[in-house]
C-alpha cells in the first residue's frame, strides 16, 4: 500500500528531475554586428559540458520571455502563436524548455543525442542538442495544414537563428540541421501528431577552447 508519505516522496522525486535555470546573463559585450561577423557553422565540439548558466542564456536568446507584462518572446511567430517548443537533449536526459518559468521539464531519462544525430554521427558528440518542434495545435483550428506547416518552419528558423547568434556571442560552436530520427524522437519525447520536428542545433565549446 502506498502511504501519503511515500506518495509525497514520489512526487518530490519526480519534481526534482526538473531544473530551474539560473537567470540568463545580459552582460555580454559582443555587439550584434560582431556576432553576425563571427557566426559560422561548426561540426566539432570539445568534450566539455555546457553549464546551466550558459544554457539559460542561449535558451533565453532562442525564445525566452523578453516582455514579461505582455508574455512575448525574443523570436517572432505567426499570429504570435509561439508555436515553437525547444527540447534540450543531453546525456542526462531530455527536457522541455518552459520560457515563462525559465525552467527545464524532464520528459525522458534517456540520452537521445544519437536519435538527434540521425545519419550524421558527429552531432552525437555535442554535449547539447536543441530540437525545435512546431505545435500546430497553437494555430487556429480552422486553418488548413499547409499554412500551419509553412508558418511552423518559418518560426523554427527564427529560433534557430537566435541560437546561432547567441552561440556566436558566447564563443560556442553550433550548426543548424534538419537531419534527425523524427519518429523515434517524437515517441521518446511523448509528442502527438500535432507536433512537427523541424530543425536542431548542436552546441558546444570549440575543441581548442581553454575557456
Amino acid at each position: 500500500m502506498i502511504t501519503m508519505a511515500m506518495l509525497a516522496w514520489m512526487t518530490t522525486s519526480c519534481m526534482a528531475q526538473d531544473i530551474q535555470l539560473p537567470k540568463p546573463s545580459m552582460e555580454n559585450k559582443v555587439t550584434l554586428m560582431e556576432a553576425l561577423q563571427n557566426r559560422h557553422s561548426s561540426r566539432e565540439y570539445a568534450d566539455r559540458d555546457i553549464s546551466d548558466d550558459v544554457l539559460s542564456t542561449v535558451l533565453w536568446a532562442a525564445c525566452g520571455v523578453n516582455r514579461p507584462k505582455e508574455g512575448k518572446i525574443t523570436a517572432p511567430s505567426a499570429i504570435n502563436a509561439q508555436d515553437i517548443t525547444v527540447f534540450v537533449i543531453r546525456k542526462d536526459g531530455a527536457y522541455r524548455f518552459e520560457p515563462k518559468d525559465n525552467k527545464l521539464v524532464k520528459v525522458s531519462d534517456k540520452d537521445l543525442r544519437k536519435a538527434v544525430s540521425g545519419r550524421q554521427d558527429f552531432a552525437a558528440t555535442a554535449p547539447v542538442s536543441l530540437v525545435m518542434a512546431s505545435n500546430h495545435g497553437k494555430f487556429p483550428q480552422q486553418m488548413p495544414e499547409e499554412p500551419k506547416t509553412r508558418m511552423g518552419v518559418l518560426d523554427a528558423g527564427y529560433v534557430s537563428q537566435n541560437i546561432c547568434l547567441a552561440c556566436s556571442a558566447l564563443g560556442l560552436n553550433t550548426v543548424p540541421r534538419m537531419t534527425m530520427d523524427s519518429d523515434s524522437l517524437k515517441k521518446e519525447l511523448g509528442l502527438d501528431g500535432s507536433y512537427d520536428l523541424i530543425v536542431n542545433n548542436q552546441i558546444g565549446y570549440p575543441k581548442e577552447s581553454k575557456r
Side-chain angles (χ1 to χ4, degrees), residues 165-192:
L165 291 176
C167 287
S168 177
L170 293 167
L172 298 170
N173 280 355
T174 190
V175 58
R177 305 164 52 252
M178 292 186 71
T179 298
M180 58 184 135
D181 184 348
S182 296
D183 291 339
S184 175
L185 283 171
K186 288 182 75 171
K187 179 180 178 181
E188 294 295 341
L189 297 174
L191 303 180
D192 60 28

Side-chain angles (χ1 to χ4, degrees), residues 52-71:
D52 286 346
D53 297 83
V54 172
L55 181 60
S56 177
T57 301
V58 173
L59 290 171
W60 179 85
C63 60
V65 176
N66 65 349
R67 289 157 287 174
K69 289 184 179 179
E70 302 172 62

Side-chain angles (χ1 to χ4, degrees), residues 5-27:
M6 290 175 64
L7 183 60
W9 177 83
M10 290 167 63
T11 302
T12 301
S13 297
C14 291
M15 291 176 62
Q17 295 183 12
D18 297 343
I19 298 173
Q20 182 61 59
L21 292 169
K23 186 177 179 180
S25 173
M26 304 294 172
E27 300 302 317

Side-chain angles (χ1 to χ4, degrees), residues 42-83:
S42 179
R43 293 166 174 79
E44 293 187 344
Y45 312 96
D47 184 16
R48 176 184 173 188
D49 290 338
I50 302 293
S51 70
D52 286 346
D53 297 83
V54 172
L55 181 60
S56 177
T57 301
V58 173
L59 290 171
W60 179 85
C63 60
V65 176
N66 65 349
R67 289 157 287 174
K69 289 184 179 179
E70 302 172 62
K72 294 184 177 180
I73 61 176
T74 59
S77 63
I79 60 174
N80 192 36
Q82 299 185 18
D83 57 298

Side-chain angles (χ1 to χ4, degrees), residues 95-138:
Y95 301 82
R96 183 181 67 250
F97 175 51
E98 295 288 348
K100 288 181 173 59
D101 298 320
N102 194 37
K103 179 180 181 179
L104 297 180
V105 176
K106 196 162 197 180
V107 295
S108 175
D109 290 322
K110 296 181 180 179
D111 181 351
L112 301 176
R113 288 177 297 170
K114 287 187 178 180
V116 179
S117 69
R119 301 183 303 275
Q120 298 178 329
D121 292 340
F122 79 87
T125 66
V128 175
S129 281
L130 302 179
V131 176
M132 275 64 78
S134 174
N135 180 1
H136 290 186
K138 294 286 189 74

